[in-house]
Amino acid sequence: MSEECTHDCSSCSSNCADRDPKSFLEAPHPNSKIGKVIGVVSGKGGVGKSMVTELLAVEFARRGYHCGILDADITGPSIPKAFGLTEKAMGNETTIFPVKTKKYGIDVISINLLLANETDPVVWRGPVIGGTVKQFWTDVLWDNVDYLFVDMPPGTGDVALTVFQSIPVDGIVVVTSPQDLVSMIVGKAMKMAELMNIPVLGLVENMSYIQCPDCGKKLYPFGESRIEETAAAYHVPVLSRIPIDPDLTAACDGGTVEDLEEDYMTDVIGVIE
Ligand code: ADP
């Protein structure tokens, strides 16, 4: 705590240990109406965090909820491609309008909906990236969204911290894979969430197994999972175990994630709803 502390965190920029984490929260766009905000996090990139975000939004949309996806993975944005979105997000002086997905009208904002070419790299420093994510919250019109899913940047770094501090996240789903050093990675995500007073809703293990298309036997290419032990150690549920499934790859890469028939998210719905 600074010697000149006034105990008014809202007017002070000092990041001291006694600061109320909620004091960094940013107000959403004045016309936004948002129900629950659910963060989808992972310890590192490439474990399927964006895919789980997409499957969650699609599953909720199928149940009649109006969903939004805020793609906070600014350096690895993959949401627009999975939904086959090619048009650009429009805006005016005060407002950015998300792009709606074709089948379920999920509102999406992502840096790739604003860049001239989707292959343009985002070569920005942390604070600029953090500022962009904040704008996705403050400047985007989230119009009567029941559930807003935030595809978090991987890891527990600078931008993830900005998201947790500036957006009022109601709970997080942690995505992991068996080849992760599961307990360590999950432990970091848990501790970060705890520091920020954000409830961990549960774990999703992606690429958990392969199911033989002929005999149905489950194979474990990364070794038997230890997710149950990890979940028990942190007193959180395992919400889903998703196999390596070529249909998932094809849908994510081909822009047809809304047409997938698999119901890998059924148990996740219950803890979020
Ligand atoms: P992250 O957001 O963690 O970086 P993504 O969700 O973008 O990872 O997944 C990376 C790629 O891996 C995607 O293009 C998707 O096609 C593929 N993928 C993810 N999970 C699976 C799975 N269970 N089965 C098949 N392909 C998958």
Side-chain angles (χ1 to χ4, degrees):
M1 196 186 300
S2 134
E3 278 173 17
E4 297 89 49
C5 181
T6 59
H7 301 281
D8 178 9
C9 300
S10 63
S11 61
C12 169
S13 60
S14 178
N15 194 7
C16 63
D18 295 317
R19 189 174 184 109
D20 170 11
K22 291 201 166 51
S23 61
F24 283 106
L25 287 179
E26 300 276 340
H29 186 284
N31 296 335
S32 283
K33 210 162 156 241
I34 305 158
K36 276 192 184 171
V37 180
I38 305 296
V40 184
V41 313
S42 66
K44 65 184 182 69
V47 299
K49 169 183 55 62
S50 304
M51 189 194 69
V52 169
T53 311
E54 292 146 15
L55 295 180
L56 274 174
V58 167
E59 192 58 42
F60 271 86
R62 277 196 187 125
R63 288 162 193 247
Y65 293 109
H66 182 204
C67 295
I69 300 179
L70 189 162
D71 186 358
D73 194 352
I74 301 291
T75 51
S78 48
I79 303 285
K81 186 170 168 60
F83 286 97
L85 301 178
T86 47
E87 62 268 51
K88 298 293 161 208
M90 307 298 279
N92 57 33
E93 301 84 64
T94 60
T95 305
I96 302 170
F97 299 97
V99 173
K100 283 196 185 297
T101 65
K102 292 171 223 161
K103 191 164 182 181
Y104 292 115
I106 299 167
D107 286 335
V108 176
I109 197 70
S110 168
I111 196 70
N112 263 11
L113 299 172
L114 298 165
L115 297 175
N117 302 301
E118 66 167 19
T119 49
D120 288 347
V122 173
V123 192
W124 299 342
R125 293 193 189 274
V128 181
I129 296 177
T132 306
V133 175
K134 272 195 220 171
Q135 273 188 286
F136 285 176
W137 173 253
T138 57
D139 296 4
V140 170
L141 175 58
W142 297 108
D143 191 9
N144 277 311
V145 166
D146 299 310
Y147 292 97
L148 180 65
F149 296 96
V150 182
D151 185 9
M152 295 281 294
T156 49
D158 193 16
V159 182
L161 187 62
T162 303
V163 176
F164 280 146
Q165 286 184 324
S166 43
I167 299 178
V169 178
D170 292 293
I172 59 165
V173 172
V174 180
V175 183
T176 176
S177 59
Q179 77 273 37
D180 258 341
L181 297 169
V182 174
S183 57
M184 184 193 79
I185 300 279
V186 169
K188 283 185 196 294
M190 300 286 181
K191 282 175 192 153
M192 183 172 192
E194 195 184 313
L195 275 173
M196 313 302 294
N197 290 326
I198 297 170
V200 179
L201 303 172
L203 309 181
V204 171
E205 186 176 67
N206 187 30
M207 308 187 202
S208 191
Y209 57 91
I210 301 175
Q211 191 143 22
C212 172
D214 295 326
C215 67
K217 187 175 177 194
K218 287 184 180 174
L219 307 168
Y220 298 92
F222 304 116
E224 288 277 350
S225 161
R226 290 174 43 218
I227 189 96
E228 298 290 350
E229 284 166 43
T230 309
Y234 289 101
H235 310 290
V236 293
V238 177
L239 301 174
S240 184
R241 298 175 74 162
I242 306 176
I244 297 173
D245 177 352
D247 289 348
L248 291 176
T249 321
C252 292
D253 294 350
T256 57
V257 81
E258 287 179 294
D259 299 330
L260 276 169
E261 298 290 333
E262 287 86 348
D263 56 353
Y264 297 126
M265 291 297 123
T266 312
D267 292 347
V268 194
I269 304 289
V271 298
I272 294 177
E273 215 169 15

